[in-house]
């Protein structure tokens, strides 16, 4: 069976609303397709009251939000996602992104897109240049890293890379 938005035919697990208004059924063992990630993962737990659940994405085990779910398939489903075409060749991605001087509304979506693209092309470490300033932008991007499913860790960059004004981000490998 192809991955699709869950139908209300199975009554044992509740339906959950996603960010786009569709509904999905997430149960332990379900296959889940997440926004921005090419390979499906496996739900390891049911969503909690906040809509978060654990998912296994290859070697990465992380918590995600229901808003990140695009489609689900019941446990044991192995067919590819319906209507999916092969991905086009990936464009090169820089090893760093600079968001100094940007507002949070400008910077955070750019950083999230950068992380997704960097992981897709196989980068394991990238730099986010946020500057020192008041520390507001640094704190906000690090909060993003804390909840991003592809970020396995981060640290302040070394002095030769920018020190306190730069964060080195470690990414999980994803299948293309």
């Amino acid at each position: 069976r192809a991955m699709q938005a869950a139908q209300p035919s199975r009554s044992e697990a509740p339906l959950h609303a996603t960010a786009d208004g569709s509904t999905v059924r997430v149960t332990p063992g379900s296959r889940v397709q997440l926004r921005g990630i090419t390979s499906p993962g496996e739900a390891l737990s049911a969503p909690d009251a906040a809509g978060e659940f654990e998912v296994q994405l290859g070697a990465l085990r992380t918590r995600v939000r229901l808003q990140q779910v695009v489609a689900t398939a019941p446990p044991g489903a192995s067919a590819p996602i319906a209507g999916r075409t092969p991905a086009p060749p990936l464009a090169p991605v820089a090893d760093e992104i600079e968001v100094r001087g940007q507002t949070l509304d400008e910077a955070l979506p750019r950083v999230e897109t950068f992380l997704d693209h960097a992981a897709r092309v196989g980068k394991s470490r990238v730099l986010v240049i946020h500057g020192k300033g008041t520390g507001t932008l640094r704190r906000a991007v690090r909060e993003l890293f804390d909840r991003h499913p592809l970020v396995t860790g981060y640290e302040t960059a070394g002095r030769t890379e920018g020190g306190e004004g730069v964060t080195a981000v470690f990414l999980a490998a994803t299948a293309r």
Side-chain angles (χ1 to χ4, degrees):
R1 283 195 296 199
M3 259 193 186
Q4 57 189 6
Q7 300 300 316
S9 60
R10 293 185 355 212
S11 60
E12 66 272 6
L15 287 172
H16 303 282
T18 64
D20 67 1
S22 63
T23 57
V24 294
R25 190 179 312 277
V26 177
T27 59
S30 296
R31 286 181 11 130
V32 293
Q33 182 68 47
L34 302 176
R35 180 173 26 91
I37 300 183
T38 56
S39 298
E42 179 183 345
L44 300 176
S45 65
D48 61 16
E52 293 184 354
F53 62 98
E54 285 192 40
V55 66
Q56 185 83 38
L57 296 163
L60 175 68
R61 180 179 177 158
T62 189
R63 289 191 67 78
V64 298
R65 296 178 310 277
L66 282 168
Q67 291 82 5
Q68 295 171 274
V69 176
V70 176
T72 60
S78 59
I81 300 164
R84 189 141 188 210
T85 58
L90 298 173
V93 176
D95 291 334
E96 62 188 39
I97 185 173
E98 183 173 343
V99 293
R100 282 187 290 195
Q102 296 181 8
T103 66
L104 295 180
D105 289 338
E106 295 168 332
L108 295 179
R110 286 190 63 220
V111 170
E112 187 165 11
T113 300
F114 170 72
L115 295 174
D116 291 342
H117 291 162
R120 283 187 194 162
V121 300
K123 296 207 181 274
S124 59
R125 182 179 185 271
V126 293
L127 299 175
V128 175
I129 304 167
H130 42 69
K132 294 180 184 177
T134 63
T136 301
L137 187 53
R138 176 180 56 234
R139 283 188 298 277
V141 296
R142 288 182 174 184
E143 287 174 12
L144 170 67
F145 303 153
D146 286 335
R147 64 180 188 271
H148 197 285
L150 296 175
V151 174
T152 60
Y154 60 89
E155 65 189 13
T156 301
R159 277 188 32 202
T160 59
E161 293 179 307
E164 292 291 323
V166 180
T167 300
V169 184
F170 303 96
L171 301 171
T174 61
R176 288 167 38 135

